[in-house]
Every structure is written in structure tokens, then in C-alpha cells.
């Protein structure tokens, strides 16, 4: 919605999205990946978050739920090494 947001990630595979102006947690994906999350990046101008992890998966999350949460839009896994 054009507000400043930050995605943080954890070594346990979780991703959390924060509203920077309100200093408030917007959404939590506690098991986004089966290993540490290495990348979490929003697509500019879109309600989409791209994540990669040590589980060798690339996932695309879309924040289109009524409560502001995300759902998995696309996923690719089975890489021979973690995506970079």
C-alpha cells in the first residue's frame, strides 16, 4: 500500500514483515523455509516478497489476504546448492 516496510528473517526459517512508521509487526511467516532464510526482498510497487533459503528454495509470497497476511504464490526448490 505504499507504506515503508521491512522484512526480517531468522535462522530457523521464519520471515516477519514490519510497518516502519507504526513500528508494528504486520505479518509473520514462522515457517517460510525449512532452513535459515538468506534473502527477503520486496518487488518494487507490488505486494510481493521474494525469499530464498538454505533449504535450496525460492519462494514468492503475495500479501493479498484481508487480514494483511501473505500466502505462497510460487515456489521452486530442489536446487543443488542454496540460491544466491
Amino acid at each position: 500500500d505504499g507504506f515503508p516496510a521491512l522484512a526480517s528473517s531468522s535462522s530457523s526459517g521464519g520471515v516477519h514483515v514490519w510497518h516502519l512508521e507504526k513500528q508494528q509487526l504486520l505479518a509473520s511467516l514462522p515457517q517460510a523455509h525449512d532452513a535459515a532464510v538468506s534473502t527477503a526482498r520486496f518487488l518494487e510497487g507490488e505486494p510481493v516478497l521474494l525469499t530464498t533459503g538454505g533449504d535450496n528454495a525460492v519462494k514468492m509470497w503475495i500479501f493479498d489476504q484481508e487480514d494483511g497476511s501473505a500466502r505462497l504464490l510460487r515456489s521452486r526448490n530442489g536446487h543443488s546448492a542454496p540460491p544466491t
Side-chain angles (χ1 to χ4, degrees):
D1 276 349
F3 57 83
L6 171 78
S8 63
S9 61
S10 71
S11 59
S12 62
V15 175
H16 310 284
V17 179
W18 303 87
H19 190 298
L20 293 177
E21 288 178 349
K22 293 181 179 180
Q23 299 180 4
Q24 181 179 20
L25 180 64
L26 289 176
S28 186
L29 303 164
Q31 297 176 338
H33 286 268
D34 294 330
V37 176
S38 54
T39 304
R41 189 165 293 174
F42 286 102
L43 297 183
E44 188 173 343
E46 299 292 330
V48 175
L49 178 68
L50 180 69
T51 62
T52 64
D55 57 358
N56 299 340
V58 176
K59 297 183 179 185
M60 194 177 246
W61 305 90
I62 186 162
F63 292 83
D64 64 352
Q65 304 301 294
E66 287 185 27
D67 64 357
S69 64
R71 64 182 171 89
L72 185 61
L73 183 62
R74 293 192 177 137
S75 178
R76 296 280 186 242
N77 56 14
H79 302 280
S80 62
T84 57

